Amino acid sequence: MTVHETGAPSVGAPSVGAPIDRVDGHLKVTGGARYTAEMPVEHVAHAVMVTSTIARGRVRHADTAAAERVPGVLAVLTPANAPKLPTSDKALGQPPEGRKLTTLQDDKVYYNGQPIGLVVADTLEHAMAAAELVHFTYDVEHPELDMATAPRGSTASGRPGGGEPPSSNRGDVDAGLAAAAVRVDQTYTTPIEQHNPMELHATLSVWEGDHLTLYDATQGIFGVRKTVAKAFGIPPENVRVVSYFIGGGFGSKGSAWSHVLLSAMAARQLGRPVKLVLTRRQMFGPVGARPRTVQRVELGATRDGALTAVRHVSTSNTSMLEDWLEPSAVSTRIMYATPNCQTDHVLARINVGTPTFMRAPGEASGTFAVESAMDELAYALRMDPVALRLKNYAEQDPESGKPWSSKSLRECYAVGAERFGWAKRTPAPRSMTDGRWLVGYGMATATYPTRRAKAEAAARILPDGRAWVRAGSQDIGTGTYTVMTQVAADALGIAPERVRFELGDTNMPENPGSGGSRTAASTGSAVHETALAARRLAVQMAVGDAASPLHGAREEDVRAADGRLFLAADPARGETYAALIARNGGRPIEATSTAQPGEETKQYSMHAFGAVFTEVRVDRDLGEIRVPRVVGVYGVGNRLNAKTAHSQLVGGLVFGVGMALMEEVHVDPHLGRYVNADLADYHVPVNADVRSVDVHFVDERDPHVNPLGIKGIGEIGITGLPAALANAVYHATGKRVRDLPLTLDKLL
Ligand code: MOS
């Protein structure tokens, strides 16, 4: 079992909140954690996808003869010979449960890099060699790649983050802008970005008759089950999806993509398990991306900085397959207390892979635009950027008028400014230098909605006093195994070392996909309530058992800690779960329960907020940008584990540094080819790129959000930071860069 080397709670002390090490940490660092592609399945055949080299048109002919002659090749599937699926791959439903996929059901090509063939062989090497020999000829059409001239998509079928409408309007923005003493009207752009989790997308399909077991690298096992069952026309109960360990997802593994179905299709045709692992290059296109955004932001303010109007219109790209919307302007509705606010989204259909959720979809790109514009407004007003935000502080949700379930943003600004040393900033651009370095300080507001979905769990108190708790959730590297162990431990009154928590299998109780920063709140609520239910059963057994020291006690007077039930007023009077169960038939005490959000979601507006401060140093001659310091201060309710929570925010901030300074998918404007489709050319931050990252949480109690009082923290870290860095670069250089990433060429 796990040995907690740091922060081990003392016996009986609450585990929730304690910075315990990951319960799966030992397995991960010793290689014992099995990821999808490592599952030990016998007689596996290896599949390799073949992808299109044109961005638009049709496959005219597939020459597979040479590939089929390679030793060990078992099948070469193309649009000409692939098995037909009962449900069209274009009719699988809405994300995250369905997508419009390309699974060799027709000859159409919608983007460069689209799967158009599949080679299956006895070894990966044979499959790779044969895949090189499949030769396609095409009827080529001219691809649409320019968002400015591309046809518009329908935002009605797009899905903003939490089901919000794509357009909003309160007050009279034109009147508010006309009445403003100072205005900002600028356009900000963010590029296509690729999630690039360390673990490649992978699926291993095993059919037994009409039953399919699918090992899949996914953020949503139940969503994959629905998609696959629908595609193959079989009942969902016939599909078991397993995902025990996931090497990052960031949204790209939030829905089933074409390769999942291709793997299952080949396995069924061959009557043999098939493993399909994407190459890094194939991670660009077929498995989603953050789309490019072009965002116009108009702000109007009085001389003393009160916002009279905010208008935010975001145009993002989608594909020719689906109208997928990056909801960049949604968070703008709740950010500041202006009476007049209008937001809208526009879609441009181009020949690239369908975009999808990418860490804080909407908030990450949207806060770059609005928080940059707020900085421009602060300069126009000669006002401190923090003071401008405080002047427009929203005491309640300005869009709905509802009270916040909790909001600690004012404290985040204050604590962040203090920790960072904001007072040392001299306001004028280029006013702070250190040798050849131009020094800049910038800040921005961070925000992410607090979400929760229905979730179920099962808990057993075992005869030996240990507990076994299960929920069909996922751990995408965020620490679900660990924090659920802690939640169950406290609710049961059993030390975390004696609690085994399992996830990642559709044979377990149903849980939502791990996206939208909602796993801890959703699955955590279910685990908490289910463990309490199991404990209640044990207490009832004890107080009703004439042989128990607790016999005749009132249920509410009984406490549980360290595997033992006892009277609150007389802790010596009690017994262990093990003793209780031994006397009562020796069978586990078992409970299942479902937890779901209720009325509170209608009464309160629920969001996490934070403030980010950054220092940049820009080489005065070369334009090179360094980030010596980032300070992020957040109000996110309770934390389930101080260490994993800290890690989530550090990870989010580092992701934000990548978004701000490096990340950009280059799509060739003529061929639609993903030019930098590997980790040598698509840069993400490494340790040398990010120096001091100071994450701090203010004390925030939220009695409304969920039973644990927690707000999701997987995504807020990336929000605000790109704007804070762009604002710091402006402060350092006097150059306003409105186009991410902030590469040095834009400063020369
Ligand atoms: Mo996330 S983009 O909700 O995995």
Side-chain angles (χ1 to χ4, degrees), residues 219 249-252 357-361 448 476 514-517 715:
Q219 294 172 238
F250 312 114
S252 75
F357 323 93
M358 181 164 161
R359 207 168 192 174
Y448 195 80
I476 56 179
S514 293
S517 298
E715 291 166 273

Side-chain angles (χ1 to χ4, degrees), residues 442-496:
M443 61 80 57
T445 309
T447 190
Y448 195 80
T450 298
R451 299 205 181 99
R452 187 184 159 193
K454 183 176 160 185
E456 301 167 17
R460 275 185 201 174
I461 303 170
L462 302 173
D464 64 359
R466 289 179 304 121
W468 185 33
V469 182
R470 317 176 93 199
S473 181
Q474 303 75 211
D475 191 335
I476 56 179
T478 44
T480 313
Y481 278 112
T482 308
V483 297
M484 294 308 150
T485 301
Q486 293 175 274
V487 168
D490 282 7
L492 290 162
I494 294 176

